Amino acid sequence: MNLSLRKNKQNDPPKEAEGEMHSSSAMSISPHARKTGSMLREELGKSTDISIIRFVDALIQDAYAVRSSDIHLDPENSGVKIRFRIDGVLQDIQIVPTTIHIEAISRIKILCGLRTDEHQAAQDGRFRLIAEGGASVDVRVSIVPTYHGENAVMRLLSDQAEEFTLDTLGFTPENKEKILRAVQKPHGMILATGPTGSGKTTTLYTLVKMLNQPDVSIITIEDPIEYSLDGVNQIQVNARSGLTFANGLRSMLRQDPNVIMVGEIRDMETAGLAVNTALTGHLVLSTLHTNDAPTTLPRLLDMKVEPYLIASTVNIAIGQRLVRRICAMCKEEYTITAAEEKSLSEILPPELRAKHSTFFHGKGCTACNGTGYRGRAGIHEVLEIDGPVRTAVLEKVPAHQIRIIGIANGMVPMVIDGLNKAAAGLTTIEEVLRMRYE
C-alpha cells in the first residue's frame, strides 16, 4: 500500500489535502509481513547516514502496519523512548538518541504547519496520509514541553467508520435490540458513556451511519472530527473563534436538523442545551465521561439538569469498554489461574461463575506480534430509561440503586457481558478483569 504525506492547517476538519509535502519516497506497507518497528530499526541501523525525513516516514509506516492508534515520542534523560499503542496497550518499540528526537520534532512540526522556533508552548496540529485506492489516514499531533524536551503524541485515525455495525462492535442481540428501539424514536437522547479510549465516538458514528438517510438532516459538532461521513454536516469546534460545543449547538438548531450529534457533553451549559434540544423534537446523540451506564443519570443531575428533564429526554445510556480480541491464528483453550479464579469469585456470584468452565487465550504468533491479541471488541451494558428508572431519576436515587433497578429490568452488567465473551473465546479473562480498573 502506497502512502503519501499531506498536511492540513491546524485545527481544520479532515478534508482532502491540496498540497503534497516533500516526503522522502512512497511508503510501501505490508502489515502482515513486517515485525513491529522493523523499518525504524532498519533506518537507525544506517548510523551516520540517517535521514530524518525517512526516519519519520518509517516511524509512521511501522505504526500504521501494526494497527497502532497512537505513537509516543517520550524524551528521557538517556534518550527518547518510542512507544506504540496497539489494541489499547502501550508497547516499547525503540530508544533513539536525543539528537534524532530534536530533528524529528521539527519534521513533525513542518508536516503540521506548526512553529518550529517555539519550544516552550503546547502546539496541536494534523497532517494526512493518502493511501492507495483513496483511503486516508489522518494524523493528529500534540506536542508539549517537558523537563527533558518536547514530547510528541501522534494519533492515527483512518476513515474506517463505514466498516462498523452494531454486530461488529460486539453488541449482543439483546443490547442491539434496545439500541434499535432508541434509534427509531424521533426525539430524545442516546448517550454513550465510558472513560477516554473506550470507543464511545465509534459507537456514535455507527449510529449516525444507520440514521443517515436522504430524508434525514444530520449535523454533528465534534472536537476533533475523527471520521468524514458523506451526507452529514460536520462542524469542528474552534475555541479561538468562539465556536464551542454550546455555541455550535445553538447555531445548529437554526439549520433544521432531525438528528444532532454532540461530540461530548463537558459542562453545564452544553448539558442543558442538549437536553432542551432533545425535548423540542430532535434526536440527540452524545457522550459523557462516566464509569458505567447507571452513573450517567446522576452525572446529568450534577450538571444541574432538572430530574424531570432527564427522565423525559434520555432514551438510553450505553456504558462500554474496549477489550483486546484473542488472535484467531493462535487461540487455544486453557485453565484459568488461581489468581484469576479468586478475582472472578470476588465479582461474580458462585452460580454464575459455575456456568463457565472453559476459557481461551492466545499463545502468540507472527500475526499478532507475539501478544496473543489482534484487534479489539466492545464490552457493553445498555440501560433503557423506562418507567422504574424514570421514577428513580425523579427521586434522585444514587447510581448503585439505579444499577439494581436496571439489572432487575434486564440490563446485563459489563462484567457479565465480558465474562460471556471470554467464555465464547472472543477475549480473555485477563482482559475482562483489567477492564474493572480502568
Side-chain angles (χ1 to χ4, degrees):
M1 183 180 294
N2 293 327
L3 297 179
S4 59
L5 286 171
R6 300 178 182 266
K7 71 172 184 176
N8 287 342
K9 291 182 180 179
Q10 183 180 358
N11 295 324
D12 282 351
K15 60 183 179 180
E16 292 301 319
E18 297 174 358
E20 186 169 349
M21 289 292 298
H22 54 285
S23 93
S24 53
S25 58
M27 300 189 209
S28 178
I29 292 179
S30 178
H32 301 293
R34 186 182 295 119
K35 292 182 179 180
T36 307
S38 61
M39 289 191 68
L40 197 60
R41 285 192 290 271
E42 181 181 336
E43 183 60 34
L44 290 171
K46 295 177 181 178
S47 184
T48 57
D49 192 32
I50 295 175
S51 161
I52 203 63
I53 294 177
R54 288 198 301 269
F55 171 83
V56 174
D57 284 357
L59 179 66
I60 298 171
Q61 287 183 62
D62 278 335
Y64 188 86
V66 296
R67 302 168 292 103
S68 172
S69 62
D70 299 87
I71 303 169
H72 288 241
L73 298 179
D74 300 326
E76 298 178 344
N77 187 46
S78 57
V80 178
K81 183 185 293 184
I82 296 175
R83 297 188 291 172
F84 292 169
R85 186 177 295 278
I86 304 172
D87 294 332
V89 178
L90 275 173
Q91 299 182 21
D92 291 347
I93 303 300
Q94 190 80 32
I95 294 180
V96 300
T98 303
T99 52
I100 293 179
H101 167 252
I102 294 171
E103 294 183 19
I105 293 292
S106 295
R107 170 63 176 165
I108 293 167
K109 287 180 178 179
I110 289 170
L111 290 170
C112 297
L114 302 178
R115 288 185 56 180
T116 57
D117 61 341
E118 177 58 76
H119 305 289
Q120 299 301 321
Q123 296 191 71
D124 296 315
R126 66 198 312 154
F127 58 92
R128 171 163 289 198
L129 307 175
I130 305 300
E132 192 175 88
S136 61
V137 180
D138 205 53
V139 183
R140 268 187 12 227
V141 177
S142 173
I143 298 174
V144 297
T146 67
Y147 182 78
H148 291 294
E150 290 180 284
N151 171 290
V153 176
M154 293 182 282
R155 169 154 290 188
L156 277 57
L157 299 166
S158 59
D159 290 341
Q160 57 183 352
E162 305 240 348
E163 301 174 8
F164 292 116
T165 65
L166 293 178
D167 293 318
T168 58
L169 290 179
F171 285 98
T172 63
E174 295 77 16
N175 285 339
K176 178 181 174 182
E177 183 61 33
K178 293 177 183 178
I179 294 171
L180 290 176
R181 281 199 296 268
V183 167
Q184 289 164 3
K185 294 181 179 180
H187 54 79
M189 293 183 71
I190 297 174
L191 298 174
T193 72
T196 300
S198 58
K200 302 185 297 296
T201 302
T202 300
T203 296
L204 289 193
Y205 271 106
T206 302
L207 298 181
V208 167
K209 188 190 72 171
M210 292 168 54
L211 292 163
N212 190 11
Q213 303 296 329
D215 60 342
V216 177
S217 173
I218 303 177
I219 304 179
T220 75
I221 181 162
E222 308 168 57
D223 184 23
I225 297 172
E226 297 197 6
Y227 309 124
S228 177
L229 299 174
D230 292 335
V232 177
N233 295 311
Q234 296 174 269
I235 301 171
Q236 168 76 44
V237 166
N238 190 334
R240 291 180 300 174
S241 65
L243 182 55
T244 62
F245 278 117
N247 291 337
L249 187 51
R250 287 192 185 93
S251 300
M252 290 160 65
L253 292 176
R254 295 189 286 271
Q255 294 284 313
D256 187 31
N258 301 108
V259 178
I260 293 174
M261 187 185 107
V262 181
E264 181 185 346
I265 295 177
R266 296 178 177 174
D267 51 47
M268 290 187 291
E269 185 180 16
T270 306
L273 284 168
V275 167
N276 280 284
T277 299
L279 197 64
T280 55
H282 301 85
L283 185 62
V284 178
L285 286 65
S286 191
T287 69
L288 272 175
H289 284 280
T290 63
N291 288 329
D292 53 33
T295 310
T296 304
L297 306 176
R299 175 66 178 137
L300 290 174
L301 288 173
D302 291 341
M303 291 183 168
K304 307 303 179 185
V305 179
E306 293 294 335
Y308 75 92
L309 290 175
I310 300 172
S312 302
T313 56
V314 180
N315 295 335
I316 200 168
I318 305 167
Q320 63 183 77
R321 297 287 193 281
L322 290 176
V323 294
R324 291 180 289 176
R325 290 178 181 266
I326 299 174
C327 174
M329 304 299 292
C330 61
K331 181 168 71 172
E332 65 176 10
E333 188 176 332
Y334 85 112
T335 302
I336 64 174
T337 65
E340 290 172 334
E341 181 73 49
K342 183 176 183 296
S343 296
L344 282 176
S345 66
E346 293 173 355
I347 59 177
L348 297 174
E351 62 275 10
L352 188 58
R353 169 66 190 91
K355 290 181 180 179
H356 301 294
S357 57
T358 301
F359 296 98
F360 302 84
H361 67 178
K363 292 187 298 182
C365 63
T366 56
C368 60
N369 286 310
T371 64
Y373 298 99
R374 185 170 177 82
R376 288 191 289 177
I379 301 297
H380 308 95
E381 61 185 17
V382 179
L383 177 65
E384 283 189 296
I385 315 304
D386 53 14
V389 176
R390 284 195 177 95
T391 301
V393 173
L394 291 171
E395 294 174 355
K396 297 185 179 181
V397 303
H400 72 273
Q401 290 187 27
I402 294 177
R403 169 171 288 278
I404 293 171
I405 295 169
I407 292 173
N409 284 273
M411 184 188 80
V412 177
M414 270 187 286
V415 67
I416 305 300
D417 189 40
L419 178 66
N420 292 336
K421 286 171 179 173
L426 181 72
T427 189
T428 63
I429 284 295
E430 181 185 11
E431 281 293 285
V432 176
L433 294 175
R434 181 175 67 88
M435 178 194 70
R436 295 178 59 207
Y437 305 104
E438 288 186 344

